[in-house]
Amino acid sequence: MQPMTATRPAPAAAKRDPAPSRVAYKAHRLWLTPLFRQLMRVGVPVFLLTMAVGWYFSNPTNRFAIMEKVQEVRRSVEERPEFMVKLMAVEGASPVVSDAIRQMIPVDFPVSSFDLDLDAMQAEVAELDVIERVDLRIRPGGVLEVAVTERTPVVLWRAATGLEMLDATGHRVASISARNGRADLPLLAGSGAQDDVPEALALLAAAGPLARDIRGLVRMGERRWDIVLDGEQRIQLPEQNPVQALEQVIALDQAQDLLARNLTFIDMRNPARPTLRMAAPAVEELRRIKGLELGGPAQ
């Protein structure tokens, strides 16, 4: 009989540790970060989409096909009837100016409003001297409206290049070939006259009863004015306060009939000491009279 041997009980299986591993713990903590979750949910898909679009557009054939499709859709929208301009209307312009504007804007109608550069067209029309203001807009019904305000000529200026019509600010309006083309406008002459049109207009307004006898105003030395009257008489005005000096001449004329005398110049350059210059026949007559006075009566 064999001896009995004692048997050891089998060791119990080791219990599983419920704590997560270090890697799982860090991954879980990272997922709980809001920035990381947004990056995984939004950033990664956007990145993949961008890569896919970039790869697609890297092919020239694909780019050309997309651009053609975009242009086709764009033209189909731009050429819809509600966006088409069928004619042009010029408002507020004289026939000559209207024709000039139409020649400056050679648009072939009908045309899409998207093809019209209104700012460039407005700047081009505004370069005309006769135009004071211009506005371009597209009216309902497909009408390109050009609203024009023309400059009003108030004086003629005899420049070195010919006769120029000027507005109240001295801005050039247009040229004319002869004085009788606008005989209703007063005449200015002399270098720099165009720069002092407001002062010239003030003198003409103050001329009163002399206005119908005025042939023109001459700018002297770009500093002052001479008023030329019928009969070659001149009123020489000072550089400062010329209107007051002219009013003084008018007062002397009304009191003593000054301009009816045989005078050539009325010098008011020093208003405190007006100087008169007589015509040559008057001077000779004065000398003759003085000679008779000195010689006494003939025996």
Side-chain angles (χ1 to χ4, degrees):
M1 177 180 290
Q2 295 181 354
M4 296 180 62
T5 58
T7 60
R8 289 183 178 183
K15 291 183 179 181
R16 184 176 179 275
D17 189 357
S21 66
R22 184 181 299 272
V23 174
Y25 174 76
K26 289 187 175 181
H28 183 68
R29 293 289 297 175
L30 186 61
W31 180 254
L32 292 177
T33 304
L35 180 61
F36 181 78
R37 288 205 308 272
Q38 289 295 328
L39 179 64
M40 296 302 294
R41 291 174 179 173
V42 178
V44 172
V46 169
F47 174 76
L48 295 176
L49 179 62
T50 303
M51 290 293 293
V53 171
W55 172 81
Y56 181 82
F57 277 99
S58 64
N59 189 328
T61 304
N62 295 338
R63 290 200 304 270
F64 182 75
I66 291 295
M67 293 302 296
E68 271 199 338
K69 190 63 178 178
V70 170
Q71 290 293 335
E72 181 182 345
V73 173
R74 178 183 174 182
R75 295 307 302 176
S76 65
V77 173
E78 292 179 351
E79 293 180 357
R80 290 178 61 87
E82 57 266 31
F83 297 130
M84 297 301 291
V85 180
K86 304 176 182 64
L87 56 90
M88 178 170 62
V90 182
E91 305 289 344
S94 61
V96 175
V97 176
S98 178
D99 291 341
I101 292 174
R102 293 180 187 278
Q103 292 177 8
M104 295 179 68
I105 310 177
V107 180
D108 293 329
F109 297 103
V111 62
S112 173
S113 59
F114 292 94
D115 294 333
L116 297 176
D117 189 346
L118 297 184
D119 291 336
M121 295 163 65
Q122 179 172 327
E124 186 176 2
V125 174
E127 291 180 358
L128 290 174
D129 287 328
V130 71
I131 301 297
E132 181 177 2
R133 180 179 176 182
V134 58
D135 294 305
L136 273 71
R137 70 185 185 95
I138 298 176
R139 294 195 319 223
V143 178
L144 173 61
E145 180 185 74
V146 184
V148 171
T149 302
E150 294 188 23
R151 297 183 185 275
T152 302
V154 295
V155 295
L156 286 179
W157 174 44
R158 190 180 298 279
T161 55
L163 286 172
E164 305 284 357
M165 291 188 294
L166 309 179
D167 69 359
T169 65
H171 194 285
R172 179 183 179 276
V173 177
S175 301
I176 62 172
S177 58
R179 173 75 175 93
N180 56 12
R182 287 303 302 266
D184 58 310
L185 299 179
L187 180 64
L188 307 183
S191 177
Q194 76 281 10
D195 297 326
D196 288 286
V197 172
E199 187 175 67
L201 293 176
L203 289 171
L204 292 169
L210 302 182
R212 60 179 176 271
D213 298 324
I214 293 178
R215 293 179 56 187
L217 278 70
V218 181
R219 192 68 174 166
M220 305 300 294
E222 299 187 11
R223 298 180 300 104
R224 61 174 196 83
W225 294 99
D226 275 6
I227 298 179
V228 181
L229 305 174
D230 289 334
E232 300 301 328
Q233 288 181 322
R234 280 198 179 214
I235 303 174
Q236 297 176 306
L237 298 175
E239 184 177 350
Q240 302 295 329
N241 302 319
V243 173
Q244 289 84 336
L246 177 59
E247 291 173 345
Q248 187 175 346
V249 173
I250 294 173
L252 289 172
D253 181 58
Q254 291 176 342
Q256 303 178 15
D257 205 14
L258 181 65
L259 295 174
R261 303 182 183 184
N262 201 355
L263 303 175
T264 55
F265 285 88
I266 302 172
D267 189 348
M268 298 295 296
R269 287 176 291 181
N270 182 0
R273 296 184 60 184
T275 304
L276 307 179
R277 184 184 303 175
M278 301 176 66
V283 173
E284 292 297 329
E285 182 64 17
L286 181 61
R287 287 175 179 172
R288 188 184 69 80
I289 294 172
K290 286 184 175 180
L292 289 176
E293 291 178 352
L294 292 174
Q299 299 294 329

